[in-house]
Amino acid sequence: KNEKIGAVGSLCWTRFASHWVYMMPFAVGGKNSALPQISSFTICAHSKQFDPEKHGAICQELAKEYANAGTPLKVLEGYLSILTLSSFGGYSEKNFLLDEDAMKSSVPLGWVIESFGVEVVLLWTAMLLKKRVVVYSNKVTELQRLLRVLPALVWHRGNWNVMRPYILADDTGLADLQGVYCAGVTEPLESRQDLWDLYVDLPALSISVASAAKKDFTMTSVHKDLAGALTRAYAHGEGSNTSLVDVISEKTNGVISKLEILAEAEVGRVLTAAALQEQLSNAALSHFLFGVALAERLATDAAATRGEEEEEEEQEEEEATLPQGVDERVEDKTGESDV
């Protein structure tokens, strides 16, 4: 009954560390002879694979088995059967083979366009530029529905691991928010602009941009073109989830292809902000495209590069002044990016 835990019979999924966690609450009402003292329980499955439909079917089958038998041994039996034979009860692995069209059809993009209209381009911009997104709702099922759309807006990356579909707004939950992410919370975090670049309030159907990120979200002709293509496709009845994902994917690939062509003409096939500014008179468009190029690793940030070089020079100077016979432990402070 508590939506913060999950509606009975509906799958709740999230991600912690490197694993997906799928949870399905199941009610027996305290009238089940096999479980006379239990009114409800939750089946939980951990996996490295993102596939809510598949793991929801597994959890449901194992929950039914536990409710009927009243012993976890039957759950273990079902797990081992799925692991070795790829089937158990009404579940069969062959019904959940990963297929790109099936994955696209599971993305409720039509619902997002209906809810937010042309503002869907803000969500696309955030994902394309690898920004931090926080989504608030008091219902876990709504969080999951929107968050599942976000990685699909940049389908060419195929990265679902940026999602944190349901986190607690406590120290442990917030500590898991590192690098680039799309996080779902059931407590408002609108005042915490240090945690997000884009904030979505689902009950209010509003989208807010952090003050520090406003320049990155300036609308350009590229955004208007995408918004027009999506609204036309949705309004003309071509708005199946699969076709809408394809529309965004086509427009995104078009932008990236043009940047790749521009990069080929540059030294080392790497774009710079100055090179884009020379070719484009529109400052907002140049800034946006440079952000895309950085996210797609087609550009280099000269300012960041200079900063790294200066750091290295300072470190070399410090090492040169060390007295003889003194051992110095140098910690490598350069970590791999989460992106």
Side-chain angles (χ1 to χ4, degrees), residues 232-262:
R232 284 193 300 272
Y234 183 74
H236 295 164
E238 304 165 7
S240 70
N241 289 327
T242 301
S243 65
L244 290 171
V245 171
D246 286 340
V247 168
I248 288 186
S249 183
E250 181 182 349
K251 294 293 183 183
T252 303
N253 290 336
V255 172
I256 295 171
S257 294
K258 290 176 181 177
L259 288 172
E260 288 173 341
I261 293 171
L262 292 174

Side-chain angles (χ1 to χ4, degrees), residues 16-327:
F16 184 76
S18 61
H19 282 77
W20 290 100
V21 182
Y22 301 92
M23 298 165 282
M24 178 167 285
F26 199 89
V28 290
K31 300 177 181 178
N32 188 306
S33 58
L35 300 168
Q37 295 181 324
I38 295 176
S39 60
S40 62
F41 61 87
T42 298
I43 289 285
C44 180
H46 289 219
S47 175
K48 289 187 177 181
Q49 181 187 52
F50 176 70
D51 192 337
E53 285 70 35
K54 171 184 173 179
H55 292 88
I58 290 174
C59 287
Q60 189 173 49
E61 204 62 41
L62 296 179
K64 288 179 182 177
E65 194 64 27
Y66 180 62
N68 291 333
T71 170
L73 292 177
K74 297 300 290 184
V75 177
L76 177 60
E77 179 185 321
Y79 166 75
L80 293 174
S81 178
I82 292 170
L83 192 66
T84 57
L85 303 176
S86 300
S87 64
F88 179 70
Y91 172 82
S92 177
E93 185 87 19
K94 65 182 181 182
N95 295 329
F96 296 94
L97 297 176
L98 288 177
D99 173 79
E100 185 169 294
D101 285 339
M103 290 178 68
K104 288 178 180 178
S105 66
S106 300
V107 175
L109 184 50
W111 167 71
V112 175
I113 294 172
E114 182 180 350
S115 301
F116 292 98
V118 295
E119 284 195 323
V120 70
V121 297
L122 292 173
L123 302 176
W124 173 73
T125 302
M127 297 307 299
L128 191 58
L129 298 181
K130 294 184 177 179
K131 297 297 184 181
R132 301 167 303 161
V133 181
V134 170
V135 181
Y136 159 71
S137 176
N138 57 351
K139 296 181 179 179
V140 173
T141 48
E142 281 192 359
L143 285 178
Q144 294 178 166
R145 197 178 183 193
L146 177 59
L147 285 162
R148 188 163 187 178
V149 170
L150 298 181
L153 299 178
V154 282
W155 191 265
H156 64 288
R157 291 181 190 153
N159 183 12
W160 302 95
N161 294 340
V162 295
M163 280 194 290
R164 297 292 184 272
Y166 172 45
I167 66 164
L168 297 175
D170 56 16
D171 292 341
T172 302
L174 297 180
D176 193 42
L177 298 181
Q178 301 292 330
V180 179
Y181 51 80
C182 314
V185 293
T186 53
E187 296 178 23
L189 287 179
E190 190 170 6
S191 62
R192 292 292 306 273
Q193 290 196 19
D194 58 311
L195 295 175
W196 52 266
D197 300 303
L198 195 75
Y199 182 82
V200 183
D201 185 328
L202 264 174
L205 292 179
S206 67
I207 300 178
S208 304
V209 178
S211 301
K214 285 189 181 297
K215 186 177 180 181
D216 296 327
F217 287 86
T218 303
M219 293 295 100
T220 69
S221 57
V222 175
H223 298 85
K224 293 174 183 176
D225 182 42
L226 175 64
L230 279 175
T231 52
R232 284 193 300 272
Y234 183 74
H236 295 164
E238 304 165 7
S240 70
N241 289 327
T242 301
S243 65
L244 290 171
V245 171
D246 286 340
V247 168
I248 288 186
S249 183
E250 181 182 349
K251 294 293 183 183
T252 303
N253 290 336
V255 172
I256 295 171
S257 294
K258 290 176 181 177
L259 288 172
E260 288 173 341
I261 293 171
L262 292 174
E264 286 179 2
E266 298 301 318
V267 177
R269 295 185 175 182
V270 175
L271 284 168
T272 63
L276 274 174
Q277 288 167 1
E278 285 178 8
Q279 299 186 55
L280 298 170
S281 58
N282 187 309
L285 182 59
S286 173
H287 180 80
F288 169 69
L289 292 178
F290 182 66
V292 176
L294 281 174
E296 296 297 324
R297 299 184 180 181
L298 295 171
T300 180
D301 190 337
T305 303
R306 284 196 301 272
E308 290 172 3
E309 289 173 351
E310 289 170 3
E311 238 179 67
E312 289 174 3
E313 288 174 3
E314 287 175 6
Q315 186 175 348
E316 287 172 2
E317 288 174 4
E318 286 176 6
E319 291 174 0
T321 58
L322 287 176
Q324 289 185 354
V326 178
D327 291 328

